Amino acid sequence: MPPDRSRPFLRAAAGLAPALLLGAISCAFAVPLWSPTGSPAEPDAKGRQPWLLREQTIRFNQQALEALRDLTRPVEPALEITLMDGTSRTLAIRSRTAGPLDSTVVTATLPDVPDSELTLVIKGQAVAGTLHIGRRLFKIQYAGDHRHRLAEVDADTLPPD
């Protein structure tokens, strides 16, 4: 009977399996850029702005925000955002540049969504921005105390700035 030469290969493969598995697990988990702090809500009909479709309070991940703000630090390869319908989307950072008054301007896309673009302006703890997903438009505004408001708006009825 010929010698079994598969044993060394099997031992090597078994030794690599945990490392490969851990690598796959760590790549599968994206770092959230923000987290919702409540349920999405339709605005109150009384005094309602007609262009506002729904809104939600969010809280930015401070470590991810600091990495985006500091132009000398690398950005997490898999940042993700969670929309009001509960879907999460991975971001592809296109650029980070120094803006006026010690701010940082970040642009990104959602690689799996055509016609998508995220633009954020970060200054200290405050973030403002817009997210376009096809014809959908979201605005991000600072609400104080490390909280922000994510609002989906009707671009057709939104008054000019």
Side-chain angles (χ1 to χ4, degrees):
M1 182 167 192
D4 184 5
R5 295 193 173 138
S6 65
R7 293 245 183 247
F9 172 75
L10 290 175
R11 270 190 297 241
L16 285 176
L20 293 173
L21 180 61
L22 285 175
I25 289 172
S26 66
C27 291
F29 294 109
V31 174
L33 180 56
W34 68 64
S35 302
T37 60
S39 300
E42 290 185 17
D44 197 357
K46 185 180 184 180
R48 177 187 147 130
Q49 300 163 326
W51 58 86
L52 188 57
L53 300 175
R54 58 186 168 163
E55 60 189 341
Q56 182 171 39
T57 304
I58 59 173
R59 188 174 296 268
F60 277 88
N61 174 331
Q62 291 304 307
Q63 288 83 12
L65 201 59
E66 183 57 38
L68 286 175
R69 186 181 16 241
D70 184 351
L71 299 176
T72 63
R73 288 176 55 184
V75 177
E76 288 289 337
L79 281 176
E80 77 176 11
I81 58 172
T82 301
L83 300 175
M84 288 182 247
D85 60 4
T87 60
S88 295
R89 301 279 188 200
T90 302
L91 293 174
I93 304 297
R94 279 199 335 223
S95 69
R96 295 184 303 155
T97 57
L101 303 172
D102 199 31
S103 65
T104 302
V105 179
V106 178
T107 60
T109 60
L110 307 175
D112 60 333
V113 180
D115 298 325
S116 63
E117 182 173 45
L118 172 68
T119 303
L120 299 174
V121 178
I122 306 166
K123 179 160 176 50
Q125 300 300 315
V127 180
T130 57
L131 171 62
H132 294 269
I133 301 177
R135 294 201 28 84
R136 294 175 73 190
L137 173 64
F138 298 85
K139 291 202 171 265
I140 299 165
Q141 298 174 318
Y142 185 60
D145 193 30
H146 299 281
R147 292 175 300 115
H148 289 77
R149 185 176 80 134
L150 175 65
E152 184 172 7
V153 298
D154 180 353
D156 295 331
T157 59
L158 183 67
D161 285 333

